């Protein structure tokens, strides 16, 4: 049977491009939005538009923010001696969720000279310990060595989250307890 619901199908296709959404869920969601709760659907559309329009990267850490500085970087109560290096802005949300870390973050989006310089400036503002919360992998071992090398002029402790985190598993897929333990049991590098 051939559907001729062109616009509905386009909605299904768009939803299906989202992470964790398969075709069945996409169809269910689209049906719900269009047929069951069109007001709710408009609210979602509006929320997406608003979020897209106001979200940007924190000028300091590269995390998600709606202002020049994110709520973490602008919070004077946070520990300004600890800096946690993560791979992407979403990892900050994951670590914040477990509430065990009260330092600041740096999103290491690439290894360009400008990124390293930015990191160095941040570290030189009184950081005493740099914690690498990167997905354990051989490639990231090399990243850690490189960063350590680039920051060798600054007097710092370097640690990494404990090896309890399985190799190749990204932070968002680690259960909270393991992540909390990995942060607490961090080891010197
Ligand atoms: Zn920030």
């Amino acid at each position: 049977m051939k559907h001729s619901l062109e616009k509905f199908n386009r909605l299904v296709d768009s939803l299906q491009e989202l992470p964790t959404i398969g075709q069945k869920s996409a169809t269910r969601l689209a049906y719900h939005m269009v047929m069951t709760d069109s007001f709710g659907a408009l609210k979602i559309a509006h929320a997406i538009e608003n979020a897209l329009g106001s979200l940007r990267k924190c000028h300091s850490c590269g995390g998600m923010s709606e202002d020049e500085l994110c709520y973490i970087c602008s919070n004077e109560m946070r520990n300004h001696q600890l800096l946690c290096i993560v791979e992407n802005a979403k990892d900050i949300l994951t670590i914040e969720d477990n509430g065990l870390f009260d330092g600041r973050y740096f999103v290491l989006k690439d290894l360009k000279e400008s990124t390293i310089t930015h990191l160095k400036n941040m570290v030189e503002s009184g950081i005493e310990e740099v914690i690498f919360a990167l997905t354990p992998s051989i490639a990231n071992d090399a990243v850690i060595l490189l960063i350590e090398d680039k920051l060798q002029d600054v007097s710092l402790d370097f640690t990494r989250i404990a090896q309890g985190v399985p190799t190749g598993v990204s932070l968002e897929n680690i259960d909270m307890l393991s992540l909390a333990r990995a942060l607490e049991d961090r080891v010197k590098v």
Side-chain angles (χ1 to χ4, degrees):
M1 189 174 66
K2 174 114 178 59
H3 296 287
S4 58
L5 297 166
E6 196 193 326
K7 284 174 183 149
F8 178 77
N9 288 335
R10 205 176 297 156
L11 174 60
V12 174
D13 289 345
S14 312
L15 290 169
Q16 214 181 320
E17 280 169 30
L18 296 171
T20 76
I21 306 286
Q23 207 213 321
K24 247 186 184 163
S25 305
T27 307
R28 268 178 62 194
L29 287 171
Y31 181 84
H32 179 83
M33 288 178 189
V34 175
M35 298 298 285
T36 316
D37 186 10
S38 54
F39 181 67
L42 282 174
K43 259 171 60 185
I44 293 173
H46 191 62
I48 292 174
E49 223 177 297
N50 262 338
L52 286 175
S54 60
L55 267 178
R56 47 179 159 161
K57 279 185 188 162
C58 169
H59 190 67
S60 176
C61 70
M64 287 163 65
S65 182
E66 291 181 2
D67 301 291
E68 179 146 331
L69 285 183
C70 72
Y71 70 100
I72 297 168
C73 289
S74 55
N75 183 350
E76 286 300 319
M77 304 299 283
R78 306 266 314 194
N79 185 330
H80 281 218
Q81 277 113 52
L82 292 178
L83 186 73
C84 182
I85 297 186
V86 293
E87 273 158 274
N88 55 59
K90 189 160 48 56
D91 291 341
I92 296 178
L93 301 181
T94 307
I95 296 174
E96 283 297 295
D97 269 349
N98 84 37
L100 269 178
F101 181 74
D102 73 337
R104 294 161 73 194
Y105 297 93
F106 184 82
V107 180
L108 189 69
K109 58 181 194 314
D110 55 49
L111 294 170
K112 283 186 201 149
E113 206 56 51
S114 57
T115 307
I116 306 287
T117 306
H118 187 115
L119 173 63
K120 201 167 177 194
N121 289 340
M122 205 165 170
V123 162
E124 281 170 342
S125 71
I127 298 292
E128 289 175 4
E129 180 181 349
V130 168
I131 303 159
F132 293 97
L134 307 176
T135 309
S137 70
I138 291 170
N140 277 339
D141 284 349
V143 169
I144 291 174
L145 283 176
L146 180 106
I147 302 282
E148 259 196 283
D149 185 57
K150 297 280 186 190
L151 299 179
Q152 61 178 335
D153 304 341
V154 195
S155 155
L156 284 171
D157 280 333
F158 292 100
T159 57
R160 64 193 297 169
I161 55 174
Q163 289 296 344
V165 175
T167 304
V169 176
S170 73
L171 285 195
E172 66 171 324
N173 294 322
I174 296 164
D175 68 274
M176 282 302 160
L177 196 66
S178 307
L179 181 59
R181 205 169 292 145
L183 257 173
E184 277 192 331
D185 299 346
R186 57 190 189 261
V187 289
K188 266 192 179 301
V189 288

